[in-house]
Amino acid sequence: MKNMTLSNIAQACGGRLICPGEPPAAEAAGVVIDSRKAGKDFLFIATKGERVDGHRFIPEVFAGGALGVVCERLPEQPAGPCILVEDSFEALKRIGEFYRRQLSVKVVGITGSVGKTSTKEFVASVLSQKYRIHKTLGNYNNEIGVPLTVLSMPEDTEVAVLEMGINHFGEMHNLSRIARPDICIMTNIGQCHLEFLGSREGILKAKSEIFDFMGEDGAVCVNGDDDMLSTIKEVKGKPPVTFGLSSSCRIYAADIAGRGLLGSEAVIHDREAGISFNAKIPLPGGHMVYNALAATAAGRLLGLTPEEISKGIAAVEGVSGRSHIIELADKVVIDDCYNANPVSMEAALDLLLQADGRTVAVLGDMFELGKEEAKLHERVGGYAVEKGVDCLICTGKLSLHMYEGALKAAEAVEKPADGIHYFPDRESLLEGLAALLLPGDAILVKASHGMGFEKVVEQLT
């Protein structure tokens, strides 16, 4: 890793390097917080979690040939160089920031309330048609995940595509300081994290901290159809690149044709350049069109041709837990259980209703919605009934409000309520779910990550 010697690392994180004799001049081969991944010449950062204290594994990583260790307390008779710090997690961020600045790489930072992960996949697929790319894996999008993603970046990376997620003020400022994005993409401003950010205006303010460490020559891409993002008129002296379905956006889609669960087709236009091209969007749901448009905006800024962008969009693959279509012998499962908020719930229900046959929505609690949580759950239940979902299964303490909202909506339209069900928790759902399903069903599974609905998907598949 370029310039990642123990002396430089200690200086970067404000730590005290303790080792017998002269510190080794070798560069670290990698940086990890999981001792099981600490190979020869790796730097291991010992962190203390809720269940496991990484300091316990310092002897093991030295036995495995680690170059050194960052720690908050020294082990007895350390077997190798240690960098003593006050806070290992803070050290991780500073080390990630240092390494980012050693690399000549373009960074695309992606934030927003909904669609960050799927947008990241579209952007990465498009940009990989021309560049060597490195992207966020899994859910590594917070103050631990972003520096780890940066630190896992190969030196020959040309463009890094980083997902950046927050739920408190100040966190995006820290992420921007680490990532130093050249292109900032904002997908939308929804209603997630209202518990901590207070309002959509607060969410916009917190997400906009992504601009804090953007380069002076950087560019901002925003969803021009979003009422909050459309208020951004200028960032560092330049107007944002807008994308959306409105022809007033620079990058916009027209002639959209749905193909059900197989995705959609559209003609994508770059109004400023006066070009257009056909795109096959292989993932289902109207929101995937926006993801393709965001990727187009990034591709145009980084010099890709329409042909390269179209090829990249067509090559996108689904991610487990994110509108992932699973075809079974007698059913179709839409695995969207990674996370949930009111906007993404409604988008997922819209997707479900594109399926042939009977539609079943297995929905669970949405977290971090603040004082409006009861009303927002009730609204989702009403939306499912009004849109015509055949079978709605609500699960969890908060989802009792979803169930009640569905019953009210059914009564209002004089629809039978025998297709509306409630389970108090995931365990009772797993016991009773099979009895509610029929051959040929299309089944949506969606809830906030803390509900553990991947267990539901496992049972179904």
Side-chain angles (χ1 to χ4, degrees):
M1 300 177 71
K2 187 177 179 180
N3 294 332
M4 292 288 280
T5 64
L6 291 180
S7 295
N8 287 343
I9 291 168
Q11 185 175 1
C13 69
R16 181 161 60 96
L17 178 57
I18 301 169
C19 65
E22 288 293 317
E27 296 173 336
V31 179
V32 295
I33 63 172
D34 184 340
S35 62
R36 295 167 296 182
K37 299 178 181 178
K40 187 178 186 308
D41 291 331
F42 270 58
L43 178 75
F44 172 60
I45 302 179
T47 59
K48 186 175 182 179
E50 293 181 4
R51 298 181 180 177
V52 179
D53 186 347
H55 291 79
R56 290 170 42 199
F57 306 105
I58 291 176
E60 293 179 20
V61 299
F62 276 130
L67 180 68
V69 165
V70 173
C71 55
E72 296 175 7
R73 63 179 186 274
L74 289 174
E76 293 184 12
Q77 299 179 334
C82 294
I83 299 174
L84 189 62
V85 298
E86 291 186 5
D87 186 323
S88 294
F89 286 113
E90 188 64 28
L92 169 65
K93 289 185 279 187
R94 298 289 74 81
I95 295 168
E97 178 189 353
F98 173 76
Y99 185 58
R100 161 68 180 96
R101 298 175 78 169
Q102 309 311 302
L103 302 179
S104 178
V105 59
K106 293 288 186 183
V107 171
V108 180
I110 300 172
T111 191
S113 296
V114 179
K116 292 185 292 296
T117 298
S118 52
T119 299
K120 173 204 66 183
E121 294 299 321
F122 272 83
V123 172
S125 183
V126 166
L127 297 183
S128 68
Q129 303 305 309
K130 183 174 182 178
Y131 299 105
R132 290 187 295 273
I133 66 104
H134 177 72
K135 66 179 180 179
T136 302
L137 298 177
N139 61 341
Y140 275 32
N141 66 2
N142 59 15
E143 290 190 78
I144 298 173
V146 169
L148 287 174
T149 300
V150 169
L151 288 164
S152 66
M153 192 186 308
E155 287 185 34
D156 65 351
T157 300
E158 294 175 309
V159 180
V161 184
L162 304 183
E163 181 180 336
M164 301 165 71
I166 55 122
N167 54 23
H168 289 83
F169 289 107
E171 290 178 345
M172 187 62 76
H173 176 86
N174 295 333
L175 297 185
S176 180
R177 181 176 175 178
I178 297 166
R180 303 197 175 244
D182 299 282
I183 297 174
C184 298
I185 296 176
M186 302 184 80
T187 61
N188 46 56
I189 301 297
Q191 294 168 309
C192 57
H193 310 312
L194 287 173
E195 180 180 356
F196 307 115
L197 301 176
S199 64
R200 291 182 71 220
E201 288 77 11
I203 295 170
L204 175 61
K205 181 180 179 181
K207 301 282 187 186
S208 296
E209 293 173 3
I210 193 174
F211 308 142
D212 290 356
F213 290 91
M214 184 181 74
E216 291 301 319
D217 296 328
V220 173
C221 305
V222 301
N223 180 344
D225 294 342
D226 185 278
D227 61 328
M228 299 298 295
L229 292 178
S230 63
T231 65
I232 300 175
K233 303 301 182 184
E234 185 178 283
V235 179
K236 298 194 176 182
K238 296 195 303 187
V241 175
T242 55
F243 60 87
L245 304 186
S246 170
S247 59
S248 63
C249 296
R250 173 180 162 177
I251 308 294
Y252 68 94
D255 303 315
I256 300 170
R259 301 172 62 227
L261 295 181
L262 298 178
S264 60
E265 297 179 358
V267 178
I268 295 179
H269 301 264
D270 181 341
R271 183 168 52 81
E272 186 174 296
I275 63 173
S276 60
F277 60 90
N278 295 321
K280 288 188 176 181
I281 302 164
L283 303 184
H287 54 298
M288 294 298 176
V289 177
Y290 281 97
N291 298 339
L293 293 172
T296 300
R300 294 298 296 157
L301 287 170
L302 290 174
L304 272 73
T305 66
E307 293 76 18
E308 289 170 330
I309 296 172
S310 180
K311 184 179 178 181
I313 291 172
V316 172
E317 297 181 353
V319 178
S320 178
R322 311 277 189 161
S323 298
H324 182 213
I325 308 298
I326 305 171
E327 295 187 56
L328 306 177
D330 64 344
K331 296 179 181 67
V332 174
V333 175
I334 304 174
D335 172 12
D336 201 353
C337 66
Y338 178 76
N339 217 336
N341 59 60
V343 174
S344 66
M345 277 286 199
E346 292 179 3
L349 289 166
D350 291 341
L351 168 60
L352 173 64
L353 290 165
Q354 295 181 34
D356 296 327
R358 198 177 78 125
T359 54
V360 180
V362 183
L363 307 182
D365 291 352
M366 302 176 287
F367 300 144
E368 297 183 4
L369 295 181
K371 60 185 178 182
E372 296 291 309
E373 62 184 14
K375 183 189 298 184
L376 293 170
H377 279 82
E378 184 174 319
R379 189 183 83 183
V380 168
Y383 187 87
V385 171
E386 291 162 7
K387 289 293 183 176
V389 170
D390 296 310
C391 178
L392 175 63
I393 303 170
C394 310
T395 304
K397 182 179 178 181
L398 294 173
S399 290
L400 179 59
H401 301 291
M402 189 187 297
Y403 173 70
E404 293 169 345
L407 292 177
K408 289 179 184 177
E411 183 179 1
V413 297
E414 298 183 351
K415 179 179 179 178
D418 54 357
I420 304 171
H421 309 273
Y422 175 71
F423 293 93
D425 50 46
R426 187 189 67 197
E427 287 65 33
S428 58
L429 168 68
L430 292 172
E431 291 177 6
L433 180 58
L436 299 175
L437 302 179
L438 299 173
D441 281 351
I443 308 162
L444 167 67
V445 182
K446 188 167 181 64
S448 280
H449 189 61
M451 290 293 289
F453 265 32
E454 63 273 10
K455 297 292 186 182
V456 181
V457 174
E458 288 175 12
Q459 177 168 297
L460 288 170
T461 57

